[in-house]
Amino acid sequence: MISATGTLPLISFYLGLTLVLIGGLGVVFGPKTSTEPIVRIINLTVPSTGVALIFLSYNYTLAMLTFLSVNPILYIIMIRAIIRLEEMGGFTS
Amino acid sequence: MNEIIAIPIAATLAWLNFVIIDIWMGLPEAPGVRGAKAIGKSIEKRGGDLGGGYFSGNIVCSPDASAGTLLASCSYYGFGGPEGGLIAALFVYLGNRMCADPGYAGTTGALTITFIIWIASHFGITANYFIVGIVIAILTIQGLYHPLSSKLIGKMAGKMNRKVIK
Amino acid sequence: MVIEFVYAAAILMIVGALGGVLQTRPIDKFLMLAVLGDGLISIVATFGYLDVAMASSFMTFVGIIIMMIGLVRVLEIRKMRGELG
Amino acid sequence: MIEETIISCIVIYMVLRLFITQNRLERMPYLNVINFGVAAVITLKNPSPLGAIASMVYFILATVGANAIAFTISKVKEIEHGD
């Protein structure tokens, strides 16, 4: 088996591309995303992890750290919007 | 020492350390937090023992002597001396406080495994074999087949007079 | 023969992504997201950036906690309005 | 390097078993084994004091996360099934 230490950025880059593809398709066409809106937010975690992995493969450490730190703030705002919508009467579409 | 011989000895020492200290500190008696109770009831429903289920749930939900064993051996290997075990004991104590779980099982396990590694390193079993050993030991308790391992833990708890408090 | 940990981390991340997308109940997804975060942290630690590993472990933990608080709140509101069986 | 091979095999076996298991509470101990393996590999790959501290911080935070997941599972079951 070939050693992985030389090809580590390559593995990280293609893994990140795979995760972005799977996560993007999952956010749009995933099961139960239209009836239950919190499922769409949970699926959004997968492509954000893929983007962070692509940042890592180019050694952009500070960009990855900032991206990972901004994500929970985004989740707070979206979860707050969903709770507000649920209080007002729920989804109809 | 040859690593084929050193890894089973280290795994046996780590298994005995964390199981005996966890049972002695009373983990099979009662669930510490609410998730541990659910895990114990689930293992009992699948054909296991209730005391062993509480033991398994308490290991999952808070850092106990198994976490103390792993972190002390990691810290011994990283710092390169016995002073790493004391730092690991401090971290495990902080983790126990964060999980709102009373008890000093983690700190006791970290200190005893530091002493065991300090003795065993004179015979050639260094700390990296203990890191692999604790992973193998936790696999036999949590990973292979839950009813059998929980019955084993329940039998040992009955022998050490630490049964489930109704 | 040596199996490097990078392959195990790749399997960890692919299983976490597939399980996190394809499970239907929201409570089943959190465990798969924890597996995904574990794979990310192990790849970062294989690169050698240990400070980034510490910070990213904290960030995945905070994200999972926030989503769980939101899920419990939504279920309580639905139970209060009588929509849940 | 036999340590890394053993831990890799254990982690791969556990993650495949976690993927095919259907019961929700049965999967929590498997996640615990994966946390142990990752925390061991972080120190084995870079043996330095910072590596040990990173491993400790990761393991404590992962345990608190598993605690929160188990708590939420029991709470959701209580909300859905009454009692």
Side-chain angles (χ1 to χ4, degrees), chain B residues 135-157:
Chain B
V135 177
I136 294 172
I138 204 72
L139 174 73
T140 60
I141 295 291
Q142 305 265 31
L144 293 178
Y145 186 58
H146 291 157
L148 201 63
S149 62
S150 68
K151 276 176 189 171
L152 177 63
I153 295 296
K155 196 173 293 180
M156 285 184 68

Side-chain angles (χ1 to χ4, degrees), chain B residues 3 34-35 38 42 46 59-63 66-67 70-71 74 77-78 88 95 99 128-129 131-132 139 142-144 146, chain D residues 2-3 14 17 23 25-26 29-30 32-33 36 40 43-44 47-49 52 56 59-60 63-64 67 70-71 74 78:
Chain B
E3 50 198 9
R34 195 166 154 189
S42 166
R46 277 182 282 121
I59 285 180
V60 171
C61 286
S62 68
S66 56
L70 174 76
L71 295 184
C74 277
Y77 185 58
C99 285
N128 52 349
Y129 297 131
I131 298 176
V132 188
L139 174 73
Q142 305 265 31
L144 293 178
H146 291 157
Chain D
I2 193 168
E3 302 98 344
M14 270 304 124
R17 195 161 171 186
N23 189 2
L25 280 169
E26 191 182 346
Y30 301 153
N32 195 10
V33 178
F36 268 78
T43 311
L44 278 179
S48 64
M56 286 190 275
F59 189 78
I60 298 297
T63 310
V64 178
N67 191 352
F71 177 76
S74 77
E78 175 189 324

Side-chain angles (χ1 to χ4, degrees), chain B residues 49-103:
Chain B
D49 185 62
L50 187 59
Y54 284 164
F55 183 85
S56 198
N58 274 325
I59 285 180
V60 171
C61 286
S62 68
D64 282 313
S66 56
T69 309
L70 174 76
L71 295 184
S73 49
C74 277
S75 192
Y76 199 107
Y77 185 58
F79 281 86
E83 72 269 14
L86 306 176
I87 301 170
L90 177 65
F91 268 83
V92 171
Y93 180 72
L94 290 181
N96 259 324
R97 289 290 119 190
M98 273 173 74
C99 285
D101 189 25

